[in-house]
Amino acid sequence: MNEKAAFAAGAGSPAADSAAARTRTMLWVLLVVYIFNFLDRQIVNILAEPIKGDLGLSDTELGLLAGPAFAVFYALLGIPIARYADKDGTNRVRLIAAALAVWSAMTAVCGLAQNFVQLLFARIGVGVGEAGCTPAAHSLITDSVPAEKRSSAIAFYGMGVPIGSLLGLIIGGIVNDLYGWRVALMLVGLPGLLLALFILFVLREPRHLRPAEAVAAAPAQLSTGAALKEIFASRAFVFILIAASVTAFLGYGKALWTISFFIRSHGLSTTEAGLSMAVVLGLAGVLGTWLGGKMADVFGKRDKKHILTFPAYGMAVGAPILFLGYYMDNWIVAVALLIVPTVLNTAYYGPAYGCVQGLVRPQARAVAASIMLFGQNLIGLGFGPFLFGVLSDALAPAYGQESVRYVLYGAAWLGLIPAFFFWRASLRLKAELKSG
């Protein structure tokens, strides 16, 4: 019995139970890896204000560090690394372990930076390392679980985004107040090196568990051109790519500047802002990511278009509530109002990436995921925090400390754009999704 069948059955023969146990272990380990991924990536958000004060940075430079310095190299290296992951002989477990070791070491190096340029190159190193993680992880998950459980399995992995962000906000805020931002970066970076070693001893590459006849019958690898042609031939994929990229643009921008908004406009400390945003970005994000995957699997069985129904309608409903949250003068009311939109705006991860894995053949799955990540990180992380910072600087002469609030007003209503494209993609799923 293969890994997918064992996961679907859940119990039975000792071999099936063993395979199902390996799959569960893999999902939990990959979740922890992704938590470290976003912890190391996003901790700079809560540390932004102390870094700015210590190194004398502008909002534009701060946005550059949080966005393009990481995202450009992450996005550019993601596709060739994904092509390597899609090759039948590649050990994706070792690839993920090596990537984790690199980005963890570079996160610690960020804490040693003495000026803007040094910190810029260290952040680039974090991006280089993290480029090797998610495409290979999505490919591993898709090879190990049945199609009808794909959205929830990828959503389970995707919970690393809000959990990692939550831990980054809490750890970063508290450690910064006690010991400074440099210690915070080194504290979260170094444990990843131990996790990288742990992965090598615990996980096994599913490709190495296949019987010899299955290996011999494996289809030929696609060329890069053929893989890209197949991926972009899907209109559903293109719509999902646009929706996810705009979602990331708004999400990364809000993640950084909402914290600065609460510090500047509401007078919170880094610890207070970190704990408050941990509730919104962390707990609400975990709930939204999990709920999105579950609803996609349940309602997608009735009609495939419903895999993306919740993300589409959820983002539309969340826009006006998000605006009210930024409008309120009472910070407690503001935080409370941000919870529901965060749940709705994070529900897309499992459904979107699950659909992407089902829109192409196995030989192109890691590349398809990497193109999604390319759009989300180059457009989202690369330009979101940076352009939000540029707009804040441009509005500062007129609005002073409140300039960030007015940038966030516009970001709230722009959530209607991905809502439209998720809806358009949902109409194509019945015709385009593959069965395996």
Side-chain angles (χ1 to χ4, degrees):
M1 179 181 291
N2 62 27
E3 296 274 337
K4 288 187 178 183
F7 187 90
S13 68
D17 289 344
S18 176
R22 282 197 302 270
T23 299
R24 288 192 293 269
T25 299
M26 178 200 69
L27 288 172
W28 277 103
V29 172
L30 290 179
L31 171 62
V32 175
V33 171
Y34 209 33
I35 289 171
F36 272 80
N37 184 296
F38 262 78
L39 171 60
D40 291 358
R41 181 189 311 193
Q42 295 295 88
I43 191 173
V44 72
N45 290 349
I46 192 63
L47 302 177
E49 293 298 312
I51 290 173
K52 176 183 178 180
D54 190 16
L55 300 183
L57 307 181
S58 67
D59 280 354
T60 299
E61 289 174 322
L62 201 59
L64 183 64
L65 285 172
F70 173 94
V72 170
F73 285 86
Y74 181 105
L76 292 177
L77 289 174
I79 294 177
I81 293 176
R83 283 295 298 153
Y84 175 72
D86 273 333
K87 290 183 178 179
D88 199 54
T90 297
N91 188 316
R92 293 165 291 185
V93 171
R94 292 181 181 176
L95 175 60
I96 292 171
L100 171 59
V102 171
W103 89 61
S104 298
M106 295 309 298
T107 299
V109 170
C110 286
L112 303 175
Q114 299 299 311
N115 54 52
F116 171 73
V117 174
Q118 291 178 2
L119 190 54
L120 178 71
F121 279 103
R123 283 288 291 172
I124 288 173
V126 177
V128 169
E130 292 199 6
C133 178
T134 294
H138 281 190
S139 178
L140 275 174
I141 293 169
T142 304
D143 280 357
S144 303
V145 302
E148 63 271 16
K149 296 181 180 290
R150 185 177 293 149
S151 291
S152 56
I154 291 180
F156 181 82
Y157 170 78
M159 289 194 300
V161 175
I163 295 173
S165 298
L166 180 154
L167 292 176
L169 293 171
I170 295 175
I171 296 172
I174 294 174
V175 176
N176 172 72
D177 284 347
L178 292 175
Y179 305 107
W181 63 271
R182 297 180 186 279
V183 174
L185 286 167
M186 288 185 277
L187 182 67
V188 301
L190 294 176
L193 299 174
L194 297 177
L195 179 59
L197 291 175
F198 177 77
I199 290 171
L200 295 176
F201 289 101
V202 173
L203 297 188
R204 299 174 67 184
E205 167 59 63
R207 290 166 176 163
H208 296 169
L209 303 176
R210 294 175 300 176
E213 57 271 20
V215 175
Q221 296 297 302
L222 293 174
S223 67
T224 300
L228 292 175
K229 182 178 180 180
E230 177 172 328
I231 291 166
F232 283 101
S234 168
R235 290 176 63 188
F237 176 87
V238 174
F239 290 142
I240 293 172
L241 176 62
I242 295 170
S245 298
V246 177
T247 299
F249 173 83
L250 299 173
Y252 282 120
K254 289 181 291 187
L256 174 63
W257 294 106
T258 298
I259 294 170
S260 293
F261 162 68
F262 277 101
I263 292 173
R264 297 180 191 183
S265 297
H266 292 286
L268 274 61
S269 69
T270 54
T271 297
E272 291 171 331
L275 291 174
S276 299
M277 288 300 96
V279 173
V280 175
L281 302 178
L283 298 179
V286 170
L287 175 60
T289 305
W290 174 83
L291 187 61
K294 284 295 182 182
M295 292 189 72
D297 282 345
V298 171
F299 293 103
K301 291 178 181 178
R302 303 178 186 178
D303 191 323
K304 290 182 178 179
K305 73 177 182 181
H306 291 315
I307 295 174
L308 291 174
T309 295
F310 189 48
Y313 287 94
M315 299 204 77
V317 171
I321 306 174
L322 196 58
F323 174 82
L324 287 176
Y326 296 134
Y327 181 79
M328 293 297 168
D329 289 328
N330 184 302
W331 73 268
I332 297 176
V333 175
V335 169
L337 283 170
L338 297 184
I339 293 174
V340 171
T342 301
V343 171
L344 298 176
N345 289 350
T346 54
Y348 82 95
Y349 188 94
Y353 278 97
C355 286
V356 165
Q357 294 292 293
L359 290 169
V360 297
R361 285 179 284 172
Q363 305 96 302
R365 283 172 174 165
V367 172
S370 74
I371 293 172
M372 283 278 288
L373 291 167
F374 180 92
Q376 287 208 290
N377 285 280
L378 189 62
I379 296 173
L381 185 54
F383 292 101
F386 176 65
L387 290 182
F388 278 43
V390 171
L391 288 172
S392 177
D393 280 340
L395 294 174
Y399 298 103
Q401 290 286 93
E402 290 290 281
S403 61
V404 172
R405 186 194 295 265
Y406 284 87
V407 173
L408 293 173
Y409 283 162
W413 291 109
L414 288 176
L416 297 175
I417 296 174
F420 170 78
F421 281 102
F422 278 131
W423 171 73
R424 290 284 291 149
S426 71
L427 303 180
R428 303 289 309 172
L429 294 183
K430 189 171 184 179
E432 295 187 20
L433 274 179
K434 295 173 172 42
S435 57

